Amino acid sequence: MKKVLLSLMLLFVASVYSQNWKSDFEDAKATAAKENKNIVLVFSGSDWCAPCIKLDKVVWQSEAFKKEVEKNWVAYKADFPKKKANQLAPELTEANKKLAEKYNKNGSFPLVVLLDKSGKVIGMTGFKNVSATDYIKVLHSFEK
């Protein structure tokens, strides 16, 4: 019984502190409009793009970024995995392709696009070999 209770507590703590990435872009836009926040749209190749993987480990998984998203942004990751085992649902793959047609015409990976709540581009950046705090500063610099 103690193990079950401990497992449930760990799951709860993990869910409280986990990244709140939206899985539907329209939902991300609706949340951004409702909460008056900008959107961080990330184009990633999670299982083949080395800079994408490093950006995920250093920035997106950092506590600093998680806190910043909670306070100031809505986050959406348009992932384009290549390995068969990591394929997304067909609807999500199609939705991500449509986002790429609009916001990532050159097919750059990683590409981070900061959008206002209506979906207008405020700024774009790619991989930077900096700390999470410095990367957050880059994203905020687009808002000025």
Side-chain angles (χ1 to χ4, degrees), residues 22 27-40 68-75 114-119 122 140 143:
K22 295 291 183 186
D27 179 42
K29 279 179 39 178
T31 301
K34 179 181 165 196
E35 298 178 8
N36 196 30
K37 293 181 177 180
N38 290 326
I39 302 167
V40 176
E68 205 61 35
V69 167
E70 190 66 33
K71 267 191 332 191
N72 296 303
W73 297 319
V74 175
L114 190 66
L115 307 167
D116 70 10
K117 60 188 172 190
S118 69
I122 299 172
H140 276 303
E143 297 174 314

Side-chain angles (χ1 to χ4, degrees), residues 56-96:
D56 183 62
K57 287 181 181 168
V58 174
V59 179
W60 311 142
Q61 292 183 28
S62 73
E63 288 305 312
F65 184 76
K66 290 175 186 179
K67 287 177 185 174
E68 205 61 35
V69 167
E70 190 66 33
K71 267 191 332 191
N72 296 303
W73 297 319
V74 175
Y76 182 87
K77 191 178 290 181
D79 194 17
F80 292 83
K82 287 188 178 177
K83 294 179 182 171
K84 202 172 194 176
N86 299 332
Q87 292 303 300
L88 306 174
E91 316 81 55
L92 189 53
T93 298
E94 192 56 36
N96 288 349

Side-chain angles (χ1 to χ4, degrees), residues 16-35:
V16 168
Y17 288 103
S18 69
Q19 191 76 26
N20 190 20
W21 292 90
K22 295 291 183 186
S23 57
D24 178 285
F25 189 70
E26 292 306 314
D27 179 42
K29 279 179 39 178
T31 301
K34 179 181 165 196
E35 298 178 8

Side-chain angles (χ1 to χ4, degrees), residues 38-57:
N38 290 326
I39 302 167
V40 176
L41 170 58
V42 177
F43 289 94
S44 179
S46 63
D47 64 2
W48 58 271
C49 168
C52 300
I53 294 165
K54 185 168 184 183
L55 199 57
D56 183 62
K57 287 181 181 168

Side-chain angles (χ1 to χ4, degrees), residues 2-15:
K2 285 182 182 180
K3 287 183 180 180
V4 171
L5 194 55
L6 180 61
S7 296
L8 287 172
M9 286 176 50
L10 286 173
L11 275 173
F12 174 74
V13 169
S15 69

